[in-house]
Amino acid sequence: MRMPLPVRRADAEPLLDCRYFAAGQCRSCTLLDVPQDVQLATKQARAEELLAPFVHDAVAWRSPWAATREGFRNKVKLVVTGSAAHPRLGITGPRGRGQDLRDCPLPTLGIQMATPALARFVAECGFQPYDPSADRGVLKFVIVTESPSGELMVRFVARRRGVQGMLFKKLERLRELVPAARVVSLNVQPERKAVLEGDEEILISDAATLPMTLRVAGCDLTLNLRPQSFFQTNTDAAEVLYSRAVDWVSGAVGQDLGSLNAWDLYCGVGGFALALASAGMRVVGVEAQPQAIDAARESVEAMRRRGADVDATFVAADATVWAREQSGSGGAGASEATGEGAGAGEVPDVVVVNPPRRGIGPELAGWIAESGVETVLYSSCNAHTLAADLAAMEVFDVVKAQVVDMFPHTAHFETVVLLRRR
């Protein structure tokens, strides 16, 4: 049964006391004046509408998961504007003017506390903010991530490598101002275009990874995050998604997970893969980003040193190409990439996909549909592309689904679905 679309209240009060929203200086939270239950009901209705052709049983839908109203973002990407003496860390606001957001209520507490200190550090270093209209200046962004333990990863994005000298020289000063800073790096992005970061990452600190310890299906799971690797921006939501993977897959197969294997395509730093491996499955994770694969492998080794018996292999490759190689004739490249957990001609019991907004696309969706795989867990940040991919996998039914409100106060949300072959 489809939920009725709620009506937006014209007299609704903002959910948060945000001075930037009240003054019209930042409208990133487009739904900040919509009650949270109305936001959630609207997202649920939208997901049900898009996925209606593939959900044949209303009980497949679980109640939507609601995030906290504030302090939920574990990562911020702060545009550097202003001047070298008085930098602003925030966004490019109306009319292209920089808007400082050091009092934004959305980031985690550690990020909120660190942002003013980071602005002071930028000023002490004398870094000139980059002006894209004039193509002048050097410092473009400061990207900050907080782990559940309160440690921080701080990344400076600049247009040239020369910034590294000042960062090395001032590293101890940065730690005085931001004691929680564990990982510090410089990303070099020299191009004059709307690209957040470049390929080159220079590590400034001795530590290269930020441990993210989550509570997944009743157990602790520690993932290692490197500067250029992806992690969900809402830690609580990540715990929900990984827990759903363990619980739903276990319920779907109806047998001991230790006798089954899974492929986690688009595995990132290994969240879904390691959650399933911790539950006993043999898992191969595939991800195109080499830093993410390095981080996932480091997590596996750390788990084994602590005595955990986990069978997980990680491969740096394009997910679609790799999957087709494993089910085909293999070849030198395929056999080298396969690793311990798969072999040419093998079909896994479970496939997990957590792609970017563009979805998995018709080629991978077609392979999954034709492969004989019985169970698929699909986590999507774009319900439109999820629906398109499900249309290309019509041999599956959605047997469980849930909206996970990872991005409160916006129209965006995560949808996780469990698919079973008819």
Side-chain angles (χ1 to χ4, degrees), residues 79-381:
V79 181
V80 183
T81 57
S83 65
H86 302 285
R88 304 187 190 99
L89 302 186
I91 60 171
T92 302
R95 297 176 295 280
R97 184 177 184 276
Q99 175 59 55
D100 193 283
L101 292 182
R102 66 184 66 194
D103 294 326
C104 175
L106 299 191
T108 54
L109 182 59
I111 295 176
Q112 292 184 40
M113 295 174 62
T115 302
L118 287 169
R120 179 175 177 179
F121 176 76
V122 169
E124 290 185 7
C125 290
F127 294 141
Q128 184 68 35
Y130 177 68
D131 179 359
S133 62
D135 197 26
R136 289 197 299 264
V138 64
L139 189 60
K140 296 184 173 185
F141 305 96
V142 178
I143 305 173
V144 190
T145 304
E146 182 176 12
S147 74
S149 67
E151 293 182 306
L152 299 177
M153 176 186 291
V154 181
R155 302 174 63 207
F156 298 89
V157 181
R159 65 184 304 196
R160 58 175 179 262
R161 303 178 83 246
V163 171
Q164 67 176 313
M166 181 62 73
L167 291 177
F168 278 117
K169 179 180 179 181
K170 293 276 193 178
L171 179 59
E172 291 309 312
R173 176 56 176 160
L174 175 60
R175 287 181 169 144
E176 289 176 7
L177 293 170
V178 188
R182 172 188 172 91
V183 181
V184 181
S185 69
L186 168 66
N187 181 272
V188 182
Q189 205 293 80
E191 299 184 59
R192 185 183 180 181
K193 61 181 183 180
V195 176
L196 179 64
E197 58 189 66
D199 295 331
E200 184 179 10
E201 194 86 21
I202 302 171
L203 197 63
I204 306 299
S205 59
D206 293 332
T209 58
L210 183 69
M212 309 286 286
T213 300
L214 312 177
R215 192 68 177 171
V216 176
C219 300
D220 287 341
L221 175 65
T222 299
L223 306 175
N224 286 288
L225 187 62
R226 287 178 178 258
Q228 289 187 311
S229 50
F230 169 81
F231 189 79
Q232 305 287 359
T233 57
N234 186 321
T235 303
D236 292 342
E239 292 179 336
V240 170
L241 293 173
Y242 302 152
S243 294
R244 294 296 177 273
V246 174
D247 296 340
W248 289 6
V249 168
S250 178
V253 299
Q255 63 187 91
D256 179 18
L257 293 182
S259 63
L260 304 176
N261 67 343
W263 293 355
D264 180 5
L265 310 179
Y266 303 96
C267 71
V269 295
F272 285 105
L274 291 174
L276 292 172
S278 297
M281 296 191 79
R282 292 173 289 119
V283 183
V284 180
V286 184
E287 167 63 46
Q289 220 290 331
Q291 274 208 14
I293 290 298
D294 290 342
R297 289 170 176 166
E298 184 174 338
S299 298
V300 172
E301 292 307 313
M303 293 169 72
R304 290 171 178 164
R305 287 195 298 269
R306 293 193 295 268
D309 183 16
V310 289
D311 189 347
T313 304
F314 291 94
V315 179
D318 176 270
T320 302
V321 173
W322 185 89
R324 295 181 70 88
E325 286 177 344
Q326 307 320 302
S327 58
S329 59
S335 60
E336 182 179 353
T338 297
E340 304 169 4
E346 179 180 347
V347 175
D349 300 292
V350 178
V351 165
V352 177
V353 287
N354 180 210
R357 289 189 61 79
R358 66 179 181 272
I360 63 174
E363 187 176 359
L364 182 55
W367 175 84
I368 293 174
E370 298 168 2
S371 67
V373 172
E374 292 289 336
T375 304
V376 177
L377 185 98
Y378 192 138
S379 182
S380 169
C381 60

Side-chain angles (χ1 to χ4, degrees), residues 34-82:
V34 178
Q36 193 169 20
D37 58 341
V38 177
Q39 291 184 32
L40 202 57
T42 302
K43 294 177 182 184
Q44 177 70 28
R46 186 59 177 149
E48 290 190 17
E49 180 183 14
L50 289 170
L51 271 57
F54 320 106
V55 182
H56 305 300
D57 188 345
V59 299
W61 283 104
R62 274 44 182 173
S63 298
W65 179 85
T68 57
R69 294 181 176 183
E70 57 186 307
F72 57 83
R73 286 195 65 97
N74 60 33
K75 180 177 181 178
V76 295
K77 304 170 185 177
L78 302 168
V79 181
V80 183
T81 57

